[in-house]
Amino acid sequence: MTGKPRVRNWLSAKVNFALIFATIAALLLVAGLVTAFAIDPPAPGWVGFAIASAVVVVLSAAATLVIPRMRVSPQRPAVAVDPDRRLLVVADAHCNETALSDAIQARLDGAVAVHLVVPIRVSHLRFLANDESEERRIAERTMSIAVRLLRRRGISARGSVGTDKPLESMTDALGAFSATAVLLAVPPEHDSYWLERDLLTKARALTELPVTQAIVASAQPAGSTRRDPPRAEWPRTHGRKGEPHDNRGDHI
């Protein structure tokens, strides 16, 4: 199945981030003017004011990282029109594709269709910067290879790349895919993603569907910062007649 690639709207995130700091800057400016005209403190007082302002800015920046960003009103879940079981899988981009396919197959429990969504995995620094091209490429690769492996096993599967927030990626997918169960596939603890902490508990609070979790072997060696899956697992780009030549879209 094909579809238009989903483009991440970084403008919205940038605007929200700018508004937060613009508000803080305005409040600090007002506080500075009030202090200057009403109190007129000595030089040490201004030093203290500068230090306090710096602390406020740092804490505000830290809050944007520590507090997960999540939509206030997630999409309404899609409702199935038949009794068939369907499995939604939210998988970390660092999961080994073969191990991920094995985990999904072992947990089908009669599901007739699988939708695999792979959120973009970004660092704290890139979370604030407009630079996620490499992370998107990795997520697309993981999703594409895993879906191809599932299809080769006779499993009806499709996939998409999510946002940089796993929980939001899950609720977005539930709005378009009428799942009856959710599987969270995460790598071992040493390679866990900072936004995946307590993911199972948080995911269960967002949906009435049964949510389970599987620990899947990581494709990235411990201590490595680069992820290159084995070349043998790459999907074919020049195969039999009628086979797609580009497997890197957001939806397949």
Side-chain angles (χ1 to χ4, degrees), residues 54-109:
V55 171
V56 170
V57 172
V58 171
L59 290 177
S60 300
T64 62
L65 298 175
V66 175
I67 301 175
R69 296 181 300 169
M70 184 68 187
R71 291 199 187 103
V72 176
S73 300
Q75 295 187 35
R76 183 184 299 274
V79 179
V81 295
D82 54 54
D84 292 336
R85 295 178 58 83
R86 298 176 180 83
L87 179 64
L88 171 65
V89 182
V90 181
D92 187 283
H94 281 189
C95 287
N96 175 275
E97 293 85 3
T98 300
L100 175 59
S101 301
D102 291 341
I104 294 173
Q105 186 173 18
R107 292 164 175 79
L108 282 178
D109 193 24

Side-chain angles (χ1 to χ4, degrees), residues 207-232:
T207 178
E208 296 181 354
L209 298 176
V211 182
T212 56
Q213 180 171 290
I215 305 298
V216 178
S218 175
Q220 179 175 349
S224 173
T225 58
R226 182 173 179 178
R227 181 192 186 283
D228 290 315
R231 295 179 64 87

Side-chain angles (χ1 to χ4, degrees), residues 235-247:
R236 297 180 181 178
T237 56
H238 300 285
R240 295 181 296 275
K241 182 178 180 181
E243 189 174 36
H245 291 275
D246 184 4
N247 301 320

Side-chain angles (χ1 to χ4, degrees), residues 125-139:
L125 179 61
R126 294 194 179 189
F127 189 76
L128 298 177
N130 189 6
D131 182 14
E132 62 176 32
S133 57
E134 177 66 12
E135 286 79 5
R136 174 169 286 277
R137 181 183 68 82
I138 293 173

Side-chain angles (χ1 to χ4, degrees), residues 1-7 115 136 140 143 148 151 157-161 176 244 246-252:
M1 183 175 293
T2 60
K4 294 182 178 180
R6 179 177 178 178
V7 178
H115 180 82
R136 174 169 286 277
E140 288 174 348
M143 178 272 294
R148 294 270 172 192
R151 289 177 177 176
R158 58 176 297 182
S160 63
V161 172
D246 184 4
N247 301 320
R248 295 182 60 187
D250 281 13
H251 297 266
I252 65 174

Side-chain angles (χ1 to χ4, degrees), residues 20 38 42 51-52 57 62 70 77 99 123-124 147 155 165 189 202 218 228 230 242:
I20 292 174
I51 294 175
V57 172
M70 184 68 187
S123 65
H124 288 78
V147 169
I155 299 172
K165 299 174 283 295
E189 185 176 356
K202 295 174 182 176
S218 175
D228 290 315

